[in-house]
């Protein structure tokens, strides 16, 4: 079993990934929670099931090229479920849907995004399998789903949610934003002329946080010096998406800038605040 998993791991490490995808998608998909860490004990009752899925996805030629065979009309770019895996054992469960893009002419972009999705699902299965093999009295739920949040003739924004629940829960959301006409990956820094956007957007988010807390005492954000790790600035590649009406929305994982009960938090940035910093108005208006 271990040799097969090692072989699969080596195969993934040898898959050529374009530099931009490696630096943006990989970092986004595998970003670790800043505040909440879930500790899992290695465990093997479900290792065989995990290996079966992994082997099917990675070593079966039909499965590997399934997305290229999905019929599309007029080069419609869409998101489909590549695979769904469900398993329950004692107090542990996993339910993971793996999304995949279909319909791009730019097959390099399409295939590498799909490989990243599959790799992420593999890691979730392996995490569950290890926990199931030894932690028989423990509790762990892993759930992952996806949703197309924006789908216009020009834009496609896809959100993938990953939720893990052990002693407590943790949810993170990751977005892929694509220019459907030019078939390119849209990154946050590609929207702007220079890095001034980091400070401007961060300041606007702080102002929104303060207004929300003033209007609703139940809302709390970590922005004061008294907080253990106050929010100071967004990351240059902060998670984001673009709405159907071309507005920029910045997203934070659960526990990233607020207590867990606030969940995943989002802030729509007024276009007038960033208009002078934008490269153009194709995406953000």
């Amino acid at each position: 079993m271990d040799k097969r998993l090692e072989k699969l791991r080596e195969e993934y490490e040898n898959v050529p990934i374009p530099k931009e995808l490696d630096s943006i998608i990989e970092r986004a998909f595998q970003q670790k929670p800043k505040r909440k860490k879930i500790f899992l004990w290695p465990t093997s009752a479900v290792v065989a099931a995990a290996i079966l899925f992994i082997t099917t996805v990675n070593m079966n030629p039909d499965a590997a090229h399934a997305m290229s065979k999905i019929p599309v009309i007029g080069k419609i770019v869409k998101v489909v479920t590549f695979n769904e895996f469900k398993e329950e054992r004692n107090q542990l469960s996993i339910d993971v849907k793996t999304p995949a893009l279909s319909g791009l002419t730019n097959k390099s972009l399409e295939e590498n995004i799909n490989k990243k999705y599959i790799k992420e699902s593999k890691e979730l299965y392996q995490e569950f399998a290890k926990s199931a093999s030894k932690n028989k009295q423990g509790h762990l739920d892993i759930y992952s789903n996806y949703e197309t949040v924006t789908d216009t003739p020009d834009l496609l924004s896809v959100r993938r949610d990953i939720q893990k629940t052990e002693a407590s829960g943790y949810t993170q959301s990751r977005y892929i934003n694509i220019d459907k006409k030019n078939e390119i990956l849209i990154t946050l820094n590609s929207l702007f002329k220079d890095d001034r956007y980091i400070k401007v957007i961060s300041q606007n988010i702080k102002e929104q946080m303060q207004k929300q807390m003033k209007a609703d005492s139940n809302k709390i954000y970590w922005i004061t010096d008294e907080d253990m790790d106050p929010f100071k600035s967004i990351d240059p590649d902060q998670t984001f998406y673009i709405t159907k009406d071309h507005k920029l929305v910045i997203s934070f994982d659960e526990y990233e800038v607020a207590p867990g009960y606030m969940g995943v938090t989002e802030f729509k940035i007024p276009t007038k605040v960033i208009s002078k910093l934008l490269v153009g108005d194709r995406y953000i208006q």
Side-chain angles (χ1 to χ4, degrees):
M1 294 291 188
D2 293 340
K3 290 183 179 180
R4 294 178 69 184
L5 282 174
E6 180 64 21
K7 182 179 179 181
L8 290 169
R9 183 184 67 79
E10 291 176 356
E11 288 179 356
Y12 255 96
E13 289 178 348
N14 293 329
V15 172
I17 304 295
K19 183 177 180 181
E20 184 179 41
L21 288 177
D22 188 51
S23 62
I24 302 298
I25 304 177
E26 182 79 10
R27 185 160 61 245
F29 280 178
Q30 297 187 358
Q31 182 176 339
K32 302 299 181 182
K34 291 185 177 180
R35 294 179 171 270
K36 204 66 175 177
K37 295 183 179 179
I38 298 176
F39 297 95
L40 305 177
W41 297 98
T43 55
S44 96
V46 190
V47 169
I51 290 177
L52 177 61
F53 170 82
I54 295 167
T55 303
T56 300
V57 169
N58 292 282
M59 303 183 72
N60 185 326
D62 292 331
H65 297 286
M67 301 320 307
S68 63
K69 297 180 180 179
I70 294 177
V72 292
I73 301 175
K75 293 296 181 183
I76 296 175
V77 181
K78 60 182 179 180
V79 186
V80 298
T81 300
F82 178 76
N83 198 299
E84 181 174 9
F85 182 84
K86 293 183 180 182
E87 179 73 27
E88 291 185 10
R89 190 168 296 273
N90 298 327
Q91 297 187 57
L92 293 87
S93 68
I94 185 170
D95 184 354
V96 171
K97 288 184 179 180
T98 306
L101 292 183
S102 173
L104 286 174
T105 302
N106 185 346
K107 292 304 177 186
S108 176
L109 175 63
E110 179 180 291
E111 290 173 6
N112 282 287
I113 288 176
N114 291 344
K115 285 175 184 176
K116 291 295 185 181
Y117 279 136
I118 293 171
K119 182 179 179 181
E120 183 184 39
S121 292
K122 274 181 52 180
E123 292 170 350
L124 293 175
Y125 297 140
Q126 290 169 337
E127 182 177 3
F128 170 75
K130 288 179 181 179
S131 183
S133 65
K134 292 184 179 180
N135 192 13
K136 300 184 186 305
Q137 303 302 317
H139 176 83
L140 172 66
D141 293 320
I142 298 177
Y143 175 79
S144 179
N145 205 346
Y146 67 91
E147 180 181 354
T148 301
V149 295
T150 301
D151 189 0
T152 70
D154 295 321
L155 296 171
L156 179 70
S157 292
V158 181
R159 183 186 74 238
R160 188 177 197 189
D161 297 318
I162 297 176
Q163 182 177 22
K164 298 180 184 180
T165 305
E166 195 172 19
S168 60
Y170 174 77
T171 302
Q172 60 179 178
S173 297
R174 292 292 174 265
Y175 291 87
I176 291 293
N177 301 279
I178 293 176
D179 179 333
K180 292 167 65 175
K181 287 190 174 180
N182 293 314
E183 299 200 344
I184 57 174
L185 183 71
I186 304 171
T187 62
L188 187 60
N189 60 9
S190 70
L191 297 172
F192 299 96
K193 300 174 183 177
D194 50 49
D195 62 3
R196 287 178 295 165
Y197 73 93
I198 298 173
K199 182 177 181 180
V200 172
I201 291 177
S202 299
Q203 182 59 38
N204 181 261
I205 289 174
K206 290 177 184 178
E207 293 172 1
Q208 290 191 48
M209 289 176 172
Q210 292 169 342
K211 289 180 180 179
Q212 288 183 28
M213 289 191 293
K214 186 175 181 180
D216 186 349
S217 60
N218 292 318
K219 290 190 174 183
I220 296 176
Y221 294 103
W222 294 320
I223 56 174
T224 67
D225 293 336
E226 287 73 27
D227 293 315
M228 182 178 64
D229 186 14
F231 167 69
K232 296 184 181 299
S233 175
I234 63 169
D235 293 328
D237 58 348
Q238 185 72 40
T239 303
F240 78 100
Y241 67 94
I242 301 171
T243 66
K244 64 180 180 180
D245 57 344
H246 296 272
K247 303 303 178 184
L248 175 65
V249 179
I250 299 294
S251 176
F252 295 94
D253 290 340
E254 188 176 1
Y255 292 100
E256 190 172 0
V257 295
Y261 74 86
M262 293 281 288
V264 172
T265 53
E266 298 181 344
F267 299 88
K268 182 180 290 188
I269 308 303
T271 302
K272 64 181 180 180
V273 172
I274 55 176
S275 60
K276 294 182 179 180
L277 306 178
L278 292 168
V279 173
D281 60 2
R282 174 175 174 79
Y283 304 126
I284 308 299
Q285 299 172 4

